[in-house]
Amino acid sequence: MTYRLYGVRDFANFAVHLALGATGAPHEAVFLEPEDLKSPDHLARHPLGMVPVLETPDGTMIETAAILLWLADRHGGLAPAPDSPHRAAFLSAFFFTTSNIHIAALDLLHPYRPAGEGPVRAVAEGAHDRLTGRLTVLEDLAARDPDWWRQDAPGILTFYLGMLTRWCAAFPACPDLAISLSA
Ligand SMILES: N[C@@H](CCC(=O)N[C@@H](CS)C(=O)NCC(=O)O)C(=O)O
């Protein structure tokens, strides 16, 4: 079966698209417009009208982290295998990224969401500080067990983090609070 990935350009489907490409498995990407996400057709795929959505032989999947981990387990080579001694460190860093870094990135990109337009600057500055601190934590985790962090063999963590850091560099609501990729 050909995987079918539903997404919007530059939304969270980007990491899944990179992972699908790395598996070499047949896949197609269906790009929607943001205004299509709450259509009955898409709400039938995702109860909140979000992306990514991946159609697989085992059924329709939602949630970026779940999809990435499922692809890694199914196809191998994109993360330490369940019996690998590096699995524990990898899972810690992967879920640190999906929860702590992704959530902070959303506040940098959409600082009006928590409480409207009033505190936008304060929310964005707080997000920038949290991101800087949390990326430093991730660097410390990587230094402890760099096996899953090899640049010659990018995997699902690299794809996820690459997407998040690209967002934080390219799309912050306050341009002066962009996260520097070189830093
Ligand atoms: N926890 C979900 C979040 C997905 C998510 O936030 N998707 C955004 C795009 S990056 C979305 O679909 N936004 C459209 C909307 O909220 O209407 C996941 O990781 O898949």
Side-chain angles (χ1 to χ4, degrees):
M1 174 196 164
T2 298
Y3 292 117
R4 181 179 291 136
L5 173 65
Y6 289 90
V8 175
R9 288 188 196 280
D10 255 322
F11 279 20
N13 44 280
F14 183 49
V16 177
H17 207 168
L18 291 173
L20 281 170
T23 66
H27 62 276
E28 64 174 303
V30 179
F31 289 108
L32 305 171
E33 296 301 324
E35 57 270 23
D36 297 333
L37 293 177
K38 309 304 176 199
S39 68
D41 279 355
H42 193 63
L43 283 168
R45 297 180 199 112
H46 191 303
L48 300 182
M50 289 182 156
V51 290
V53 172
L54 185 68
E55 289 181 354
T56 82
D58 295 352
T60 299
M61 291 190 73
I62 61 172
E63 289 297 328
T64 310
I67 295 169
L68 289 174
L69 207 46
W70 186 87
L71 286 171
D73 288 349
R74 180 62 61 112
H75 293 278
L78 297 177
D83 60 352
S84 162
H86 302 290
R87 181 78 166 186
F90 167 78
L91 286 179
S92 298
F94 185 68
F95 284 97
F96 183 86
T97 298
T98 68
S99 51
N100 295 308
I101 295 180
H102 192 159
I103 301 306
L106 292 180
D107 278 352
L108 190 76
L109 270 60
H110 312 292
Y112 49 84
R113 282 186 181 165
E117 295 292 340
V120 153
R121 182 75 199 176
V123 170
E125 284 177 353
H128 183 273
D129 288 351
R130 290 200 306 285
L131 278 165
T132 306
R134 290 171 186 186
L135 287 166
T136 303
V137 170
L138 197 60
E139 280 192 344
D140 291 344
L141 291 173
R144 273 189 239 163
D145 191 344
D147 186 75
W148 42 265
W149 201 237
R150 289 164 39 203
Q151 294 187 9
D152 59 333
I156 58 172
L157 177 53
T158 316
F159 298 144
Y160 204 127
L161 192 62
M163 175 182 75
L164 295 180
T165 48
R166 171 173 148 68
W167 286 350
C168 293
F171 308 128
C174 303
D176 62 310
L177 295 178
I179 297 289
S180 152
L181 291 181
S182 56

